[in-house]
Amino acid sequence: MESKKEIVLKVLKGAFIERDVSVVERYFSPNYVQHNPVIPDGSGAIAALIPTLKKDLSYEIGMVVAEGDLVMVHGRYVGWGPKPLVAVDIFKVRGGRVVEHWDVMQEEVPAAATASGNPMFSPA
């Protein structure tokens, strides 16, 4: 059986890197709950979103943390908005299916422009 971490990574790679709509049927609960304010509830909303993603959108996976039913992924989206976005996507996984999702996104600031001089995103 796949771990919760493996499921979430397959979902993110499938949706945002490979643009494979079949990940929805394989890994999302039909009663999927979405907390992003611009995406409706239900796995059908994700299946409808994937084909609309711009060809120049890229996604890069950074750190991944799994604890109990929750998997958190620190990632970078380039092409979603006018500037690169650094995000933490939080997924709840039960019974081998993604049942709930939250995200927090912010525009990426170059390391040279941060108070610490550290980048906001580091690949895993």
Side-chain angles (χ1 to χ4, degrees), residues 29-51:
S29 166
N31 300 322
Y32 168 74
V33 176
Q34 174 63 261
H35 296 279
N36 181 299
V38 299
I39 302 172
D41 281 345
S43 60
I46 301 301
L49 171 73
I50 293 171

Side-chain angles (χ1 to χ4, degrees), residues 48-60:
L49 171 73
I50 293 171
T52 69
L53 297 173
K54 297 176 186 174
K55 294 200 183 304
D56 63 345
L57 172 72
S58 66
Y59 177 70
E60 186 178 359

Side-chain angles (χ1 to χ4, degrees), residues 2-121:
E2 296 168 306
S3 72
K4 292 173 175 87
K5 179 179 174 180
E6 290 170 328
I7 290 168
V8 167
L9 290 175
K10 285 182 179 181
V11 162
L12 288 169
K13 287 177 185 175
F16 294 107
I17 297 171
E18 300 163 357
R19 309 291 171 42
D20 179 8
V21 176
S22 72
V23 298
V24 176
E25 185 178 320
R26 287 194 317 267
Y27 294 111
F28 281 79
S29 166
N31 300 322
Y32 168 74
V33 176
Q34 174 63 261
H35 296 279
N36 181 299
V38 299
I39 302 172
D41 281 345
S43 60
I46 301 301
L49 171 73
I50 293 171
T52 69
L53 297 173
K54 297 176 186 174
K55 294 200 183 304
D56 63 345
L57 172 72
S58 66
Y59 177 70
E60 186 178 359
I61 295 170
M63 293 179 280
V64 182
V65 177
E67 177 75 27
D69 287 346
L70 300 175
V71 179
M72 292 158 275
V73 181
H74 191 234
R76 176 192 282 141
Y77 295 87
V78 177
W80 193 284
K83 295 183 179 180
L85 298 170
V86 175
V88 175
D89 286 284
I90 305 167
F91 297 88
K92 184 180 286 183
V93 180
R94 289 198 176 137
R97 301 271 182 171
V98 173
V99 298
E100 200 161 0
H101 170 261
W102 300 260
D103 59 46
V104 180
M105 297 179 150
Q106 67 186 95
E107 288 185 354
E108 185 171 17
V109 175
T114 67
S116 65
N118 296 321
M120 293 175 61
F121 179 81

